[in-house]
Every structure is written in C-alpha cells, then in structure tokens.
C-alpha cells in the first residue's frame, strides 16, 4: 500500500514538504503516514502569513468570529468517528476514550463560539482620584497578534482546541506546532477550519522536531505569546527563551487523591481506577498517588486491586480497551526501570511490561522519594498508601514539585473546605478524582505544573491586551 504524503498548512494552502518522516502507530509499529518536516523558510513563511492575517482577523466582528467557531464545532460533530479513528491510530488512544475526546473538542469549540460574543471592557471611575475630575475612562480588550501554540501528544484534538478556540475567539492568529507523534489530528483540524471559512493565514500548521521548530517560533519577534502544553523540562526551556513574550505553560503532575471517609468504598475504588488507568495513565491529571485513611485502607486496597484486574488491556481499536501501548517504547522501558526500584513484594498487582504496554500496576508502601511517586509517571501505575490523620494526608499530597489538581473524598463539609484551602494545586475536586475536568472551568497548575489558566474564558483573558481610553470631558 502506498502511504499518503501529507503537507504543511501555510497561508491557507497545503504546501508540499521537501523532507519527510515516517509516522508509526505506537500499537502496531506500522508506518501509517509520511509527514513533512518544515524547514526554516517554512517557519518564516508561516509567521509572516500569520502576521499579515492578523490585520484581517482584528477586523472580523465578534459575530463573524463566533460563527466560524460554531461551524468548526459542527464539522467535528460530522467527522466524529473519523477523528476518533485517527486518534486511535496515531496515539494509541483506545477508541472509546478517543470518541470521548472528540465529544469534548466539539464542546470546547462551542464554548469558544459563545465566549467570542462576550468580550467586554469596563468603565473606570476616573474622578475617584483628585486629578481625575472631568475624565471618562474605559478599557477594551485587543488581540495580541500572532500566537505560537505548541501542543503535546496526549489530547491532540482537544488541547489544540484549547489554544485555537480562544485565540480565534479573541481575533488572534496562530502558528501551531503539534507533537511529532500526532500530526494527523492537526491536519484534520486545519481542514475543518479551512472549510469553516477561517481567513487564509490565520492558522498555520508546521511539523518537525520540537527542538528545531520550537526554538524558531519561541524566539521570533513577531510572536507575541507562546501557549504551551507539555512537560516541565520543555516548558522551562521555553520560558527561558521567551523573553518578554507572554507565556502560558500547562505542564505535568503526579496527582493525588485522599480517601478520608466514604459511604461506598467499591464505587470510590472503581472511580479511582478509572482515573489511574484511562488512556494508559497518559493524562496530566491521572491518579498517581492514593492516600487512604488507615481505617479504610485494607477494604479500599482489596476493592482497588479487583477493579485493576478488570481493566482491559490491548488493541486501541477494541471497544472495551482501556490500557494500550504507551506513546513510545522508551516510555515503557522508563517505567520498567522505575519499577525495579520498588521492592517486589510492594507491587501488589501488575508490574510487567510487554513491548510498549505496561500492565495496570498497583504499588503499596511507597517511599515518597521514589520516582514512581515523586515524578510524573504518565503510565498506568499508581501507589496506594495509608495515613493516620488529616494533617498527615494534606502534608503527603503537598509534598510534590507539582500542583495541578487533587481529589478528596470526605463526608465532612469542614474537611472539604479545608482541602480546598490547604492543598497547593490549581483545582481541588471534592468527592471525585483529580482527573475530573470540563472544558469551560479554569484549569492550570501551581509549582512545576505551570503558569496561567486554560478553560476558554480564562485563556481568552491571557490572549488579549488590555487597552485604556481616557477622555478629557472639556
Ligand atoms: P513534551 O515532550 O514536552 O512535548 C510537548 C510539545 O513540545 C511537543 O509538540 C514537542 O515536540 C514540543 N517540544 C519538544 N521540545 C521542544 C523545545 N525545545 N522547544 C519547543 N517545543 C518543544 O510533552 P509530551 O510528551 O508531548 O506530553 C506529555 C506532557 O504534557 C506531560 O508532562 C503532561 O503532563 C503534559 N500535559 C499537560 C497538560 C496540562 O494541561 N497541564 C495537558 C496535557 C499534557 P516533539 O513532539 O516534536 O518533541
């Protein structure tokens, strides 16, 4: 079978590349497409096109921007199955989870279409100051211009939507560099925007190694903001190179959940297993650390192991698969090495690697300094530990370089509020797992989990410049 050679998307046109790389399915290892590598000239062309198009984007009315995004949302709905299939092929997301991601993508663009119509400023009480008498002041929000969006492999439709949706809702233009493993989803996204009538040059899509293209984007003076989702290591490098450009960094985590007191321990164990193993643990808010009150520990662990045994492992195209190949064989080998650090009697379920697949794994009695606990696993492994009292639980959760989201199960309203106040994260989810997210809520982390917030309305704040107008009322 002849493989399709794909193209770059620059200035509203599909441009043939000069050099290509083979895109392989993480599950089968087969080459599924040939993807063009952008060279320096392509990057400059894309940035110039985005700059030129920003004049046109600024002139679109709120309603025109909203209608484009509305059409994008509808077109994703029409192509849902095709998009889900693409995901399962390019990043081994099990087909059911892949459909879930596309459902969210449809909603994310819909939220962007709605928010595009709500951009407002405020009037300023100028005469509250001695010298402000007779002045009228107001603010308005203006687009920044060109935004560089750099995205990870794990939610390549919806996390791209979290950048393109708010960027276009606010009248900006974008040069997108998706993860090298997930170019096909970006190509489909560009096709959909093209059909939806986005002005030429407002979206440009480039492929190539992060280190090469990323640097060219991050350091280019025409880029006014970098919106990045990915690992801490790359996020820190970007921050250092970005200078005075605005940056939003959505980074990793080793999310924790406290099980303090619950009515139905089996239901909580089931939900925690969903959070730990969905998409092979490759979400930034996967449940990685579970802390259980000592009185519930034995019952919880037993129920959790039973749930873990039920998790289906294998082909991402099968309807009931939950855990499949990790994105790259080297990631599976990394986890295998981490597990070698753990005393084998504490690996109470799973622990084996087969090719790029890691068995759903449960570890107990974990020392907080071990990689499986203190670093981001991004794999289907989870530790279950017991604690004596509330203070200890909070301390254990906060003992992390990360702070994205945390979950707390409790029947006590006091403890629920205490958790929201005391846990050092961007979001605390009471009576659910940290993996809960809907796309309009503010989302982002503290500590090494990043800076800035996504969730359409909140990203839009970051993607605008606040402009002040002052009238001297003569
Ligand atoms: P990654 O390795 O950091 O890559 C992310 C993106 O950065 C890719 O497009 C990558 O390109 C690019 N990149 C690599 N080196 C670069 C450089 N020097 N300059 C500019 N760009 C560069 O992350 P990943 O493995 O794709 O994704 C997993 C990570 O994302 C995890 O840490 C996860 O927690 C995090 N994440 C966070 C959130 C959140 O909202 N907080 C959501 C999802 C994922 P290449 O693919 O070509 O290397």
């Amino acid at each position: 079978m002849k493989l399709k050679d794909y193209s770059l998307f620059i200035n509203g046109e599909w441009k043939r590349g000069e050099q290509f790389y083979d895109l392989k399915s993480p599950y089968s290892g087969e080459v599924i497409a040939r993807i063009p590598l952008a060279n320096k000239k392509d990057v400059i062309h894309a940035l110039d096109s985005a700059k030129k198009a920003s004049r046109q984007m600024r002139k679109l009315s709120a309603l025109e921007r909203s209608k484009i995004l509305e059409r994008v949302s509808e077109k994703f709905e029409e192509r849902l199955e095709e998009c889900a299939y693409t995901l399962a092929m390019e990043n081994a997301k099990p087909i059911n989870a892949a459909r879930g991601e596309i459902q969210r993508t449809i909603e994310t663009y819909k939220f962007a279409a709605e928010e595009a119509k709500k951009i407002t400023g405020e009037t300023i009480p100028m005469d509250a100051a001695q010298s402000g008498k007779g002045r009228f002041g107001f603010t308005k929000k203006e687009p920044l211009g060109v935004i560089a969006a750099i995205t990870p492999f794990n939610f390549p439709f919806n996390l791209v939507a979290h950048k393109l949706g708010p960027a276009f809702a606010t009248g900006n233009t974008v040069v997108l560099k998706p993860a090298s493993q997930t170019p096909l989803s970006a190509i489909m996204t560009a096709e959909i925007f093209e059909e939806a009538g986005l002005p030429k040059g407002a979206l440009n899509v480039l492929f190539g190694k992060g280190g090469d293209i990323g640097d060219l984007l991050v350091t280019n003076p025409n880029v006014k903001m970098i919106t990045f989702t990915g690992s801490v290591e790359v996020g820190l490098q970007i921050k250092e190179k970005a200078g005075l450009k605005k940056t939003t960094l959505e980074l990793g985590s080793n999310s924790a959940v406290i099980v303090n007191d619950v009515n139905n321990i089996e239901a909580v164990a089931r939900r925690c297993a969903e959070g730990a193993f969905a998409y092979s643990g490759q979400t930034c808010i996967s449940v990685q650390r579970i802390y259980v009150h000592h009185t519930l520990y034995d019952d919880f662990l037993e129920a959790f192991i039973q749930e873990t045994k039920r998790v289906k492992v294998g082909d991402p195209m099968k309807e009931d698969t939950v855990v499949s190949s990790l994105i790259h064989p080297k990631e599976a080998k990394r986890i295998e090495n981490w597990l070698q650090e753990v005393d084998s009697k504490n690996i109470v379920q799973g622990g084996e690697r087969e090719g790029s697949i890691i068995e759903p794994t449960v570890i107990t009695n974990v020392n907080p300094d071990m990689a499986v606990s203190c670093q981001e696993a991004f794999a289907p492994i989870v530790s279950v530990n017991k604690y004596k009292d509330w203070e200890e639980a909070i301390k254990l959760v906060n003992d992390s370089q990360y702070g994205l989201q945390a979950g707390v199960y409790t029947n006590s309203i006091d403890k629920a509020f205490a958790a929201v106040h005391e846990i050092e994260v961007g979001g605390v989810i009471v009576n659910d797992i940290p993996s809960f997210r809907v796309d309009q809520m503010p989302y982002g982390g503290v500590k090494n989990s990043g800076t800035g917030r996504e969730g359409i309305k909140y990203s839009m704040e970051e993607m605008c410049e606040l402009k002040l107008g002052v009238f001297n009322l003569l």
Side-chain angles (χ1 to χ4, degrees), residues 3-74:
L3 288 169
K4 183 165 172 188
D5 285 359
Y6 285 90
S7 300
L8 305 164
F9 187 62
I10 302 177
N11 201 26
E13 272 153 30
W14 294 95
K15 183 183 173 294
R16 236 194 102 70
E18 283 162 16
Q19 285 186 305
F20 289 82
Y21 69 95
D22 287 343
L23 180 69
K24 289 186 184 161
S25 146
Y27 179 69
S28 67
E30 273 173 80
V31 177
I32 51 175
R34 280 166 42 82
I35 306 299
L37 285 163
N39 56 32
K40 195 170 173 187
K41 242 170 72 191
D42 297 322
V43 178
I44 302 297
H45 186 191
L47 286 165
D48 288 348
S49 306
K51 187 163 183 217
K52 217 164 110 218
S54 58
R55 287 195 280 277
Q56 197 185 346
M57 278 302 283
R58 290 174 82 97
K59 285 191 196 141
L60 293 186
S61 69
L63 184 60
E64 285 165 331
R65 298 195 303 271
S66 172
K67 281 193 169 160
I68 293 169
L69 291 161
E70 188 71 50
R71 285 197 288 275
V72 166
S73 176
E74 286 161 10

Side-chain angles (χ1 to χ4, degrees), residues 104-316:
R104 284 181 58 190
T105 306
I106 293 164
E107 260 193 1
T108 302
Y109 283 117
K110 194 145 182 80
F111 282 126
E114 287 161 5
E115 290 298 332
K117 294 193 243 176
K118 297 186 202 158
I119 302 167
T120 58
E122 59 179 353
T123 56
I124 311 294
M126 302 299 288
D127 62 357
Q130 284 284 358
S131 53
K133 195 164 181 193
R135 308 284 163 136
F136 173 76
F138 68 99
T139 59
K140 67 191 283 272
K141 289 181 188 148
E142 295 195 337
L144 301 172
V146 181
I147 295 179
I150 303 176
T151 49
F153 75 83
N154 64 335
F155 284 82
F157 280 107
N158 196 38
L159 291 180
V160 164
H162 270 283
K163 316 238 177 259
L164 303 189
F168 297 140
T170 42
N172 291 290
T173 61
V174 177
V175 178
L176 168 67
K177 196 222 92 63
S180 294
Q181 186 58 43
T182 53
L184 299 180
S185 42
I187 288 166
M188 290 181 79
T189 299
E191 283 170 5
I192 285 177
F193 269 100
E194 192 182 18
E195 287 166 25
L198 185 76
K200 278 183 190 301
L203 171 63
N204 303 272
V205 184
L206 300 173
F207 308 108
K209 277 255 76 58
D212 308 337
I213 304 211
D215 270 6
L216 292 172
L217 292 175
V218 169
T219 55
N220 188 288
N222 284 335
V223 171
K224 300 299 172 207
M225 176 184 183
I226 299 132
T227 171
F228 171 79
T229 302
S231 61
V232 177
E233 299 71 35
V234 177
L236 282 171
Q237 287 176 37
I238 288 178
K239 181 98 181 147
E240 273 174 21
K241 291 175 191 159
L244 290 178
K245 293 180 173 75
K246 279 194 171 192
T247 47
T248 291
L249 304 173
E250 301 288 339
L251 311 178
S253 177
N254 60 349
S255 300
V257 55
I258 298 174
V259 181
N260 190 67
D261 48 316
V262 296
N263 298 329
N264 184 341
I265 203 116
E266 281 79 22
V268 173
R270 194 173 317 123
R271 184 74 176 137
C272 287
E274 273 171 36
F277 304 126
Y279 185 34
S280 319
Q282 294 173 119
T283 74
C284 49
I285 37 180
S286 277
V287 172
Q288 186 174 332
R289 299 175 293 149
I290 304 178
Y291 298 109
V292 188
H293 192 261
H294 65 100
T295 55
L296 300 175
Y297 182 80
D298 290 342
D299 289 346
F300 178 88
L301 185 61
E302 197 189 323
F304 191 73
I305 290 173
Q306 289 314 315
E307 290 299 332
T308 306
K309 285 181 180 163
R310 279 194 260 277
V311 172
K312 291 274 190 285
V313 179
D315 186 345

